[in-house]
Amino acid sequence: MATTAGDSTSERFTTALDELDVGWRTTTAEALSETLTAFPEPIVGAPLPFEGISLPNAITRADDPESVKAAASGVTAGTLGIADYGSVLIESTPPEAELVSLYADTHVAVVRESDIVDSMTAALESLGPRLREGRGNAIVATGPSATADMGALVEGVHGPGDVHVVIVE
Amino acid sequence: MSKQSKRAKAAQIRETMAAEGEAVQENTKGFNQGRYDSVADLEDYQGLKDEARQIKEAAIEQLPELIEQLTETVEENGGTVYLAEDEADANEYIQSLVESGETVVKSKSMTSEEIEVNEHLESAGAEVVETDLGEWVLQLAEEEPSHIVAPAIHKSRASIAELFRERFDPDRPLETPEDLTAFASEQLASKFDDADVGMTGANFLTADSGTMMLVTSEGNARKTVAATDTHVAVAGVEKIVPSVEDLQPFVELIGRSGTGQDITSYISLLTPPVDTATFGDETIEGAEDREFHLVLIDNGRMEMREDEQLRETLYCIRCSACANTCANFQQVGGHEFGGETYTGGIAGGWETGVHGLDSSEEFVDLCTGCSRCVEACPVGIDIPWINTVVRDRINRGADDHAYDFLVDGLTPDAESGGMSYQKRFFGNFVTVAKLGSLFAPVSNWLADFGPNRWIAEKLLGVDQRRDMPTFQRETLKEWAGDRDGPTDPDREVLMLADTYTNYMHVERGKAAVRTLEALGVSVEVADVTESGRAALSQGMVETATKHGEAVAEELLPHIEAGRDIVMVEPSDLAMLRDDYGQLLDEKTYEQLSENSYEILEYVYGLLENGASADALADGDGEEIAYHGHCQQRTLGLAAHTEAVLEELGYDLITSDVECCGMAGSFGFKQQYYDVSMAVGEDLREQFSTPEAEGRTIVASGTSCHDQLTDLMKQDVPHPIELVAPLERA
């Protein structure tokens, strides 16, 4: 949350990711394939619902349970980024996105720079009409899964132990 | 307390503290500090809290309509809504959804604990698995949650490792938190694979879209929903808010208030039945036929809504801030400071509403009314007031005692018979003080006389290890009556000397009078001394109201004549500033509240407005350590004392604890002496560091004074005694 006034929204977003210890890199639609295939294998992915940006052919589509559970990296869209918190939004369409983002060791969220909003207020103002009209589902995910129930903070419990955000300019 | 002797209660608390105190203390203090740090990052914390409060107030106001709207919306979405009247009703319905032999995976839900659904499903032949690591540990250990957010907060890492060794005999040693977490995750992964039904709670429900919000960090709630094709959500009716946008302040406050996280890892916004895919045997399958059942639980909530005193409980968002910031909870945890299901300060309201007074009676006296939780609560619930009301109702429901006439003679109060002698004694202490002063010093010799201390412990539960306060023969009122004030006063003050200041700690009252006179203020001491704080702390609402009315009757003419009311004791000032709002009519409360000042707040104001500090004592670099009073801090008044002491040249350090542990009569009570001393230990440590050692210790509250003199074995003056000029010749 410690950001300096005057920073752009995406700079504030990446500052928040740094504080969360979440890795991030920026790329372009053209270079996306190269960026994504560099993550640890095996990689599975859910289709990206973005115009003109698609999942590289080299990445396995999530269509059987074993490959999703065994994935080292799971690529899904992050349909919003929230600068104040370093959160990404995982939606339930395409339907396999939730499983991919939850079962892989590392979740790789692809966020378009234009989808980064400033605040939780802005995020919910954008989500409100969509949930009312489309009755959809979204997870506001911030950093890796974690628990302190075993005596100290441990990352990677039922969900991913690592999160990376790929920002598409 | 009628069910258990005071000695047995004391022994039980000691045992729990020995077994669980260390883990509870470390975790709650960590959460509490996290809360302070995390809310400090917010640009407008108070604004968010106000917004959250308004949303809850409005939602509970229109609850029947919201239930109807939510029901329609969820059914439109393809789900089912069942409004369960009570625990049995809810369990019967949930049981109808689960077949014998099926596996139910659950994410953490206090409401499911409230209805004890696990036992019901198990007796019907289902396997029920808690998947939150903390809840799973408790399920294995067959223990109850002790905290509403971190259910296994009382378990140490070592005791969990031991539990796993006993239960699973694992093929590798499990030592570190990482080992234990990985092992638990593995064990539970296979349970998710076998699961037929997923059960969750819901932190919030939005009536406009039928969306439920779940606040989690582990990912087990997400798996509970994704891995099953029947989703059952259990939620109290109070969880409904009108719209998705209303969630914003809660999303920002709930993690910060509870565990000090800015936001938890996952905020799930689900509009069930969700269209997330699930794992089939060979393929990933769509979820066209996923079933969703929302079980809305009334179980006393609609009655709470009608109950003016308990209604605010329904604003609670179950963040646990009130437990984490509570000095007593930090020592004893939720197994002592909790009822059948709920734990911490707000449990008094919840347990009374859903399980009844019997459940609250076990723990509600552990709330001392110090008010630190009111500030911590993200929706500003007046938790101490709710607990006072609960105590009052318990007092009124008590059985008649044969010896009431003995105590009634001593304690002319407005309460019905049957209350414990201990409560009567402390609640009517002003009567004791008047007699004690009248017969001083004989009364002091008697009070300290061995057999009498023994009788006081037997009959009243006054712990023999406590020093009794000393009654003064000359009261402050008598002393002040003989004085001539300043010849041409700038202002006139009526001093409301509380019971302790008038009859026992007279020196602090004298110092206050001398200070005010030195600053050109004339002082009259009021006839009335008792604000009603002592009675209120025992839950004697009617008696406290009578004291409040007497205070108003004497003070209002003075206020109308332009005099200011000044007080020395913060807990009595808090009555005028805060509690009278519940006891007296609004206009009277406003007048008293707006025209009353804490002594150093008033001195600060005089100095700010041009009075000269030259007339006061010179600190001359003297090293002092100051402990502010809990209610004074809640009222935002500790800073004034610190500013005045620094202005006079004292070298000041301050304590940083939520409460000293004495809390009025609490620490004198036999059954709570150990808790009180354990709370005080933090303060003793802070004032024993190399930096603090050897300093003069000052404290604003009477009970803090009593506690600190016991802990530090030194005299502990009120700050005003360091400010006051020497007596004029």
Side-chain angles (χ1 to χ4, degrees), chain B residues 183-346:
Chain B
F183 178 79
S185 293
E186 278 164 38
Q187 294 290 320
L188 289 166
S190 64
K191 295 293 179 187
F192 281 118
D193 289 344
D194 301 340
D196 305 289
V197 177
M199 190 185 294
T200 67
N203 295 83
F204 292 90
L205 296 153
T206 61
D208 61 343
S209 62
T211 303
M212 57 188 272
M213 171 170 141
L214 284 171
V215 181
T216 65
S217 274
E218 292 182 4
N220 61 311
R222 293 174 66 188
K223 277 191 178 169
T224 297
V225 175
T228 55
D229 53 16
T230 302
H231 176 189
V232 181
V234 178
V237 287
E238 84 285 358
K239 300 280 177 63
I240 311 172
V241 294
S243 72
V244 177
E245 287 81 354
D246 289 329
L247 298 172
Q248 176 260 330
F250 302 106
V251 172
E252 307 216 40
L253 286 170
I254 196 166
R256 295 177 196 275
S257 301
T259 55
Q261 292 164 280
D262 293 353
I263 189 169
T264 59
S265 302
Y266 305 123
I267 303 281
S268 300
L269 298 164
L270 308 176
T271 313
V274 303
D275 43 15
T276 293
T278 191
F279 292 133
D281 291 338
E282 301 290 327
T283 56
I284 287 183
E285 296 169 355
E288 291 73 24
D289 53 0
R290 188 178 266 123
E291 272 184 51
F292 173 62
H293 299 267
L294 173 61
V295 185
L296 286 174
I297 311 278
D298 176 351
N299 205 27
R301 287 165 174 78
M302 294 315 262
E303 271 183 51
M304 289 163 83
R305 185 173 165 269
E306 301 294 323
D307 183 329
E308 213 165 300
Q309 311 297 355
L310 291 184
R311 183 182 174 115
E312 267 194 56
T313 307
L314 299 172
Y315 305 164
C316 168
I317 61 169
R318 314 246 173 123
C319 70
S320 79
C322 58
N324 304 331
T325 196
C326 172
N328 284 350
F329 190 96
Q330 289 172 357
Q331 298 298 329
V332 301
H335 286 154
E336 290 303 327
F337 200 147
E340 284 179 43
T341 307
Y342 297 103
T343 48
I346 195 63

Side-chain angles (χ1 to χ4, degrees), chain A residues 1-9 11-12 15 84 118, chain B residues 43:
Chain A
M1 292 286 295
T3 54
T4 336
D7 280 0
S8 75
T9 303
E11 277 170 343
R12 293 181 45 242
T15 304
D84 271 349
D118 273 313
Chain B
E43 267 169 47

Side-chain angles (χ1 to χ4, degrees), chain B residues 413-595:
Chain B
D413 60 42
E415 311 302 316
S416 59
M419 248 174 49
S420 77
Y421 303 138
Q422 187 184 52
K423 288 196 168 177
R424 290 231 148 145
F425 174 75
F426 285 119
N428 293 299
F429 198 75
V430 62
T431 313
V432 180
K434 276 180 185 163
L435 291 168
S437 167
L438 198 61
F439 294 112
V442 176
S443 52
N444 294 320
W445 304 334
L446 286 175
D448 281 333
F449 179 53
N452 287 350
R453 291 308 312 270
W454 181 81
I455 290 167
E457 189 169 279
K458 282 280 172 237
L459 178 69
L460 306 171
V462 180
D463 201 286
Q464 291 192 57
R465 288 164 290 188
R466 285 290 184 192
D467 288 336
M468 295 300 265
T470 307
F471 300 112
Q472 301 297 326
R473 189 66 187 257
E474 185 185 44
T475 66
L476 181 70
K477 172 82 188 161
E478 288 162 355
W479 172 85
D482 301 335
R483 292 175 68 84
D484 307 313
T487 40
D488 183 19
D490 301 324
R491 302 184 74 92
E492 294 179 358
V493 152
L494 180 73
M495 199 165 121
L496 175 52
D498 56 282
T499 300
Y500 281 84
T501 301
N502 193 49
Y503 296 104
M504 286 164 272
H505 297 304
V506 176
E507 65 289 347
R508 63 184 47 187
K510 292 178 181 175
V513 172
R514 291 205 311 270
T515 302
L516 291 170
E517 287 176 349
L519 296 172
V521 178
S522 77
V523 186
E524 186 186 334
V525 177
D527 289 326
V528 68
T529 63
E530 187 47 54
S531 68
R533 165 63 62 202
L536 197 70
S537 71
Q538 309 304 316
M540 297 156 66
V541 174
E542 206 170 320
T543 306
T545 305
K546 284 199 158 34
H547 283 300
E549 285 164 354
V551 166
E553 192 181 352
E554 184 177 347
L555 266 50
L556 289 179
H558 287 279
I559 290 172
E560 274 151 25
R563 296 187 190 101
D564 301 313
I565 310 298
V566 171
M567 298 172 71
V568 177
E569 173 57 34
S571 63
D572 286 88
L573 175 70
M575 289 293 283
L576 276 73
R577 286 272 180 99
D578 181 24
D579 299 278
Y580 283 179
Q582 307 276 8
L583 306 179
L584 306 176
D585 67 86
E586 197 173 339
K587 185 164 172 287
T588 304
Y589 162 63
E590 272 175 18
Q591 280 185 287
L592 292 174
S593 154
E594 283 164 17
N595 293 288

